[in-house]
Amino acid sequence: MKSSNTHKGAAILIIGFSAIFLIIAGRFIYIQSTAEIEGVNLNEWAEEVRTSSYSLDAKRGNIYDKNGMVLAYDRPTYKMYAIVDPSYSRSEDDPAHVTDPEKTASALAPILDMEQSEIEERIVEAQEAGRFQVEFGNKGRELSQDVKDQIEALKLSGINFDEEAKRYYPNGTFASHIIGFARTEEGHITGVTGVEKQMEEYLREKKGQISYERDKYGSKLLNPNEVLTEPDDGENVHLTIDQKIQTFLEDAMATVDEQYEPEKIMAAVLDADTGQVLALGNRPSYNPNDLGEVQNWYNDIISDSFEPGSTMKMFTWAAAIEEGVYNGDASFKSGSYEVSGTKIHDHKPEGWGEITYDEGFERSSNVAASILGYEKLGPEKFRDYLSEFHLDEKSGIDLPGEGAGKLLYKYPIEKVTTTFGQGSTTTPMQLLTAATAIANDGKMMQPYTLSKITSSETGEIIKEKKPEVIDEPISPETASRMRDLLKRVVSGEHGTGKPFELSDYSMGGKTGTAQIPKEGGGYLTGKENHIFSFLGMAPVEDPELIMYVAVKQPKLDVTETGSEPVSHIVKSVMENSLHYLNINPDQSTDTKVKELEMKDYAGKKTEKVKKELEEEFDNVTVVGKGKEVVKTIPEPGTKVLSDQRIIVITDEPAMPDITGWSLRDVQKLAEHFELQVETMGNGYVVKQNLEKGSKLNKGGYLVVELSPPQ
C-alpha cells in the first residue's frame, strides 16, 4: 500500500507539469494569435528571411563628340565568385557549389593569373568557416566577356558571375583632359575630372531594385510578392569636340612630343564664330582606361597661367586702334625704352632704327608696345581694355579646374611690361577668348565644350547650349584692321610668324616667346628655356578657326628655333582642319607642305622605292648601293611632312654625302649605324670626315663641320 507521501509527491508533480504545460500552451496560443516574439513580428521576419533583394543596374549616360562618335560609355565587366555552401545544391548529380577545390583552383589559376594555392586556400577557408560564398579580390573583378566565356566553358560547379559596369573610353588618351574620367564609388560610377565631373548631375544613373520571396535554392515562390523599382539610365552629353580635328591635333602633338621632348604642350582650336571648342589637348596626357602612371592630371590650357609673351601685343595694338591713338605709318626709335630708370629692350637689343608702328608689330617690338600702352593710351585706359578683353578674369569655360592669370599692374615698370606680355600672367584660354573679338568683328564669344544633353531613352534634347556674345571690346573696323596686321606677321617681309604660313589659306597670328621665372627671382636662361607659342586665325579675312599652341622647353638643335615645334602643330592642324571643313582655299603657294604617313618599304627594290618617295618628299637620301631596302628613317607609320628628309637604308650601306644636312638628320643616321658624332660649329653640314661611299663601321666616328645658312 502506497504511503500518503507518495500520493502527495505525485500530486505535486502533476500540478507542476500541468502548470508548465499551461504556460507553454498559453505561450504558443499567444504567439499564434499575435505572431510576435519579444517585439519581433514573426510574419515579417519569415518574409524577410525568404525574400531576396537585388539591385538592377542602370547605365551612366554616354558622352559623344559633335558628330555622334561615342567618347565614353559603360562597358560590362564581370565579378567572379564561388558558392561553397553544400546546402545550395539540390542534388549530388548536379551540384551548385564547389565540390572539388583543388580541381577548381587548378583550372582557374592560369586564367585569373593567380597561384593555384591561393585560390584553393580561399575556397577551403570559406567552407571551413561555414560561409555561403567567396570572392577572389581584384583578380576576380572587371573580367571581360572573353574571360567569362572561357571560365564558363570549363563547367566548374559553384562558379558564378555578377555583372558590373566599368566606364570605358574607346579612344584612350583622345581628348582625355576634356572628357576626364569616372570611377566606381559605393556601387555607382562617379565623375572625378573633366566633363565626367562637370556633368555628373545629368550623366549619373539611378539603380533600380527588385525583391521577391524564394525558397532556399533561390527559386521564386508561386506567390513571390514581387516589388520592382525600375532603373533610370543617365542622360547623354554631346560635346563640341570634332573627332576629326581632335585627331589632327592629337597626331601633331604626339609627333612634336616624340621629336622635341618638351616639358609641356598646350593646344586648342575654337570655332571663330561660335566659341565652340573643336579640339583641345595637352602633353603630358593620360589614358583614362589606365590610371596607373598619370604624369599630368591638369588641363593646362585652362588651368596653367604664365607670362604670355608677345601674343599679348595683339590686344595692345587693338586697344590703341580702337581708342583712336594709333597711326601705323608713324615712326618710333626701336631698340630700347626707359621707364622709371629701368630699360626694356627689343628682342634685337640694338633695334632696327626708326621704323613704323605697323612694322613694329611685324617685328614684335617691345618698344612699340610700351609706347602705345604707356604713352599713347596711358596706363589707366590700357588697364580698362585689359578688362574689356576679360584678361583679368576666368573665361568661364564649362570645364572644371579653370584658373586665371594675375595682372601685375602696380608699378610703372609692371604697367609697361604688361603691354608686351611680361610680368602679368594669363591662361591660354583667356587669350583665346579675347582673340575671338578680333576674329569675330569685335564680338567676343564665350568658349564652351558642352553642346547639348539628350535623353538616353528618347533622344529628346533636354538642354542645349547656344553661342553667347560676352562682350564687344572693339569695333568691326578695328577687328578688320587687326586681322590685316596679324596677316603681315605671318606673310609680311619682316614678320616673325613666317614659319606659320599655310599652303592654301591665309593665316594671321602672333608669335610669343615667354620667359620662365626661376625660384629666387629672375628668369631661366638659354635658348630652350622659354614657352614658345602662337595665337592665330584662318582664313584671315573671315576666320573660321582660331588656334593657340604653346610648347614649353623643347629640345632644339643649334639651328632650330622655338617656332619649329609650334609651327608643326599649327600648320598640320589648321591646314587639314580647314580642308576637312570644306572651307574654300583663299591662297595658293608654289610649294605645298603636306603631312604624310611613312609606308613600310622593307624588302622592296631600292630604285622603285626611291622613285616613289621622290614623288612625295623633297629630300630623299639613299644610303648605299644595295638593291633592296632594309629600313627607312623615319619608320613606317610615322607622320612626316613632305619637306622632311627621308633616309633609305639599303642592304649594302655606305656613307652618303650629307652636305646641307641638319644636325638632327645627322644624328638620326648616326644612331642607326651606332656612330659617335663629333661636331664643329653651328648650322648645317659643310664638311664630313667620312667620304661618300666609304664603309660604315659600328662604333666609328663621324666628324662634321657645321655652318649657318647664308
Side-chain angles (χ1 to χ4, degrees):
M1 198 172 170
K2 293 181 181 178
S3 68
S4 60
N5 287 336
T6 302
H7 287 291
K8 287 179 182 178
I12 291 171
L13 286 173
I14 290 170
I15 292 170
F17 279 118
S18 297
I20 293 171
F21 174 77
L22 289 173
I23 291 170
I24 293 173
R27 181 64 172 163
F28 275 120
I29 292 170
Y30 172 80
I31 291 172
Q32 187 174 21
S33 61
T34 64
E36 190 174 292
I37 298 178
E38 296 181 0
V40 177
N41 188 295
L42 294 180
N43 290 329
E44 292 178 359
W45 177 78
E47 186 177 325
E48 183 179 334
V49 168
R50 63 173 178 262
T51 297
S52 289
S53 293
Y54 303 97
S55 63
L56 299 175
D57 285 337
K59 290 184 178 180
R60 185 175 176 83
N62 293 343
I63 299 176
Y64 297 92
D65 87 327
K66 72 180 303 176
N67 299 314
M69 187 186 82
V70 180
L71 303 178
Y73 66 94
D74 286 0
R75 186 170 72 171
T77 63
Y78 299 91
K79 177 180 71 175
M80 189 189 80
Y81 63 94
I83 294 175
V84 297
D85 185 355
S87 68
Y88 191 68
S89 298
R90 298 190 182 194
S91 69
E92 293 182 3
D93 296 332
D94 185 21
H97 73 289
V98 176
T99 57
D100 189 337
E102 182 181 357
K103 175 187 173 184
T104 301
S106 175
L108 291 174
I111 300 174
L112 297 180
D113 191 25
M114 292 178 69
E115 293 294 330
Q116 178 180 337
S117 58
E118 182 184 355
I119 297 174
E120 186 176 352
E121 186 177 323
R122 282 176 180 258
I123 295 173
V124 171
E125 285 181 355
Q127 287 177 330
E128 291 175 350
R131 290 163 56 191
F132 179 74
Q133 68 184 54
V134 65
E135 297 179 5
F136 298 91
N138 290 334
K139 293 295 180 89
R141 300 181 74 100
E142 296 185 1
L143 303 178
S144 68
Q145 182 68 51
D146 287 344
V147 172
K148 175 176 177 285
D149 292 344
Q150 192 177 348
I151 293 173
E152 287 181 331
L154 299 173
K155 299 187 183 304
L156 300 171
S157 65
I159 299 301
N160 296 276
F161 299 88
D162 281 336
E163 184 174 315
E164 296 180 318
K166 180 184 179 183
R167 201 62 166 168
Y168 183 66
Y169 305 89
N171 301 296
T173 58
F174 179 95
S176 57
H177 283 102
I178 290 182
I179 301 167
F181 71 92
R183 62 186 173 202
T184 303
E185 295 178 350
E186 298 180 358
H188 285 279
I189 297 176
T190 303
V192 179
T193 63
V195 170
E196 291 277 27
K197 177 181 179 180
Q198 190 78 357
M199 302 305 291
E200 177 68 19
E201 174 188 357
Y202 295 97
L203 290 166
R204 190 175 181 85
E205 77 288 0
K206 292 181 182 177
K207 289 190 175 183
Q209 189 172 35
I210 184 171
S211 62
Y212 56 84
E213 295 179 28
R214 43 110 182 125
D215 61 20
K216 72 173 185 176
Y217 302 110
S219 299
K220 282 186 182 181
L221 299 180
L222 292 175
N223 183 19
N225 292 323
E226 184 174 284
V227 178
L228 174 65
T229 303
E230 292 285 354
D232 185 14
D233 292 342
E235 312 301 354
N236 295 328
V237 171
H238 301 254
L239 304 183
T240 61
I241 294 297
D242 188 302
Q243 178 264 341
K244 196 72 174 178
I245 298 176
Q246 183 71 33
T247 300
F248 293 148
L249 180 60
E250 297 283 354
D251 289 348
M253 287 194 300
T255 299
V256 168
D257 195 34
E258 181 180 350
Q259 185 170 348
Y260 292 94
E261 301 177 16
E263 190 73 19
K264 282 184 181 181
I265 304 175
M266 296 163 271
V269 181
L270 266 61
D271 183 308
D273 294 328
T274 65
Q276 290 185 356
V277 178
L278 301 177
L280 184 152
N282 303 277
R283 290 292 185 276
S285 186
Y286 67 90
N287 184 345
N289 295 316
D290 181 10
L291 301 174
E293 296 183 6
V294 177
Q295 294 178 290
N296 178 31
W297 291 110
Y298 297 103
N299 191 353
D300 290 322
I301 201 159
I302 70 167
S303 65
D304 192 9
S305 60
F306 50 90
E307 297 179 15
S310 293
T311 51
M312 175 67 86
K313 289 172 184 169
M314 68 169 70
F315 309 112
T316 304
W317 258 258
I321 294 170
E322 181 67 18
E323 200 59 25
V325 298
Y326 184 77
N327 180 358
D329 295 326
S331 298
F332 70 98
K333 181 69 168 70
S334 63
S336 64
Y337 180 80
E338 186 172 335
V339 59
S340 299
T342 302
K343 273 192 174 183
I344 61 99
H345 296 273
D346 284 319
H347 59 87
K348 182 181 180 183
E350 66 274 20
W352 306 273
E354 287 274 343
I355 60 173
T356 66
Y357 285 97
D358 280 356
E359 185 177 333
F361 190 73
E362 272 189 60
R363 293 187 182 277
S364 196
S365 169
N366 293 340
V367 172
S370 301
I371 296 171
L372 289 175
Y374 197 68
E375 294 183 16
K376 302 291 186 182
L377 280 165
E380 291 73 22
K381 181 58 68 175
F382 180 58
R383 179 62 181 81
D384 289 342
Y385 274 96
L386 294 176
S387 293
E388 291 288 324
F389 280 109
H390 292 210
L391 292 169
D392 56 357
E393 61 183 272
K394 294 180 181 180
S395 73
I397 191 170
D398 46 8
L399 289 172
E402 183 182 14
K406 182 179 180 181
L407 293 181
L408 296 182
Y409 215 77
K410 182 177 181 181
Y411 302 106
I413 188 60
E414 293 174 339
K415 296 172 182 178
V416 169
T417 56
T418 296
T419 66
F420 54 85
Q422 190 171 324
S424 294
T425 61
T426 63
T427 66
M429 190 53 66
Q430 284 178 291
L431 293 175
L432 274 162
T433 304
T436 61
I438 295 172
N440 201 34
D441 288 334
K443 292 181 174 66
M444 192 159 70
M445 307 304 295
Q446 174 71 64
Y448 65 101
T449 61
L450 302 169
S451 175
K452 60 185 176 182
I453 300 161
T454 61
S455 167
S456 55
E457 294 183 5
T458 66
E460 179 185 352
I461 296 176
I462 297 170
K463 186 177 181 181
E464 188 169 17
K465 172 74 174 177
K466 299 292 185 183
E468 179 185 355
V469 177
I470 55 175
D471 217 325
E472 295 187 46
I474 55 176
S475 66
E477 293 75 24
T478 298
S480 177
R481 193 167 177 188
M482 273 309 303
R483 292 197 297 270
D484 289 340
L485 285 171
L486 291 170
K487 183 178 181 181
R488 289 180 59 168
V489 170
V490 174
S491 56
E493 180 183 357
H494 309 294
T496 57
K498 287 182 178 181
F500 297 87
E501 191 166 13
L502 304 179
S503 298
D504 294 336
Y505 301 94
S506 59
M507 168 74 90
K510 191 73 195 71
T511 55
T513 306
Q515 294 178 287
I516 301 173
K518 63 181 180 181
E519 292 183 15
Y523 293 91
L524 297 177
T525 58
K527 183 174 77 168
E528 296 175 348
N529 285 323
H530 293 84
I531 299 175
F532 303 100
S533 63
F534 182 80
L535 176 58
M537 54 197 71
V540 74
E541 295 301 324
D542 183 15
E544 296 285 342
L545 302 177
I546 307 172
M547 186 172 190
Y548 178 88
V549 176
V551 179
K552 182 179 181 181
Q553 294 173 291
K555 295 180 179 179
L556 302 170
D557 279 350
V558 291
T559 60
E560 291 179 317
T561 66
S563 288
E564 294 190 40
V566 180
S567 65
H568 174 86
I569 298 173
V570 172
K571 290 164 67 175
S572 174
V573 174
M574 289 292 264
E575 193 87 52
N576 286 321
S577 297
L578 290 166
H579 279 296
Y580 157 70
L581 294 171
N582 292 320
I583 306 303
N584 290 327
D586 65 342
Q587 72 174 25
S588 180
T589 57
D590 293 334
T591 303
K592 294 184 179 181
V593 178
K594 298 177 290 185
E595 186 178 60
L596 304 164
E597 183 174 315
M598 278 297 294
K599 299 177 183 177
D600 187 356
Y601 292 103
K604 296 185 178 180
K605 298 296 182 183
T606 302
E607 283 302 316
K608 187 176 180 181
V609 170
K610 181 174 182 288
K611 183 178 179 181
E612 183 177 331
L613 286 172
E614 285 179 340
E615 290 177 358
E616 298 283 2
F617 296 95
D618 300 333
N619 300 300
V620 179
T621 300
V622 176
V623 178
K625 295 183 178 180
K627 295 182 178 179
E628 191 173 288
V629 174
V630 175
K631 182 181 179 180
T632 59
I633 304 173
E635 295 184 348
T638 306
K639 302 287 186 181
V640 186
L641 293 178
S642 58
D643 60 354
Q644 285 183 240
R645 184 174 301 281
I646 307 300
I647 303 172
V648 180
I649 312 294
T650 70
D651 54 356
E652 295 179 17
M655 185 66 199
D657 180 1
I658 58 174
T659 302
W661 283 32
S662 69
L663 180 57
R664 186 176 292 275
D665 289 337
V666 172
Q667 288 171 333
K668 289 176 182 176
L669 179 72
E671 184 179 341
H672 176 77
F673 289 103
E674 299 182 28
L675 303 175
Q676 304 294 319
V677 179
E678 292 186 7
T679 63
M680 295 181 292
N682 298 316
Y684 294 86
V685 177
V686 291
K687 288 184 181 179
Q688 61 190 78
N689 71 318
L690 297 178
E691 294 183 3
K692 179 182 177 181
S694 60
K695 186 177 180 181
L696 291 166
N697 296 315
K698 181 179 178 181
Y701 279 87
L702 172 59
V703 182
V704 293
E705 182 179 336
L706 306 166
S707 179
Q710 298 300 314

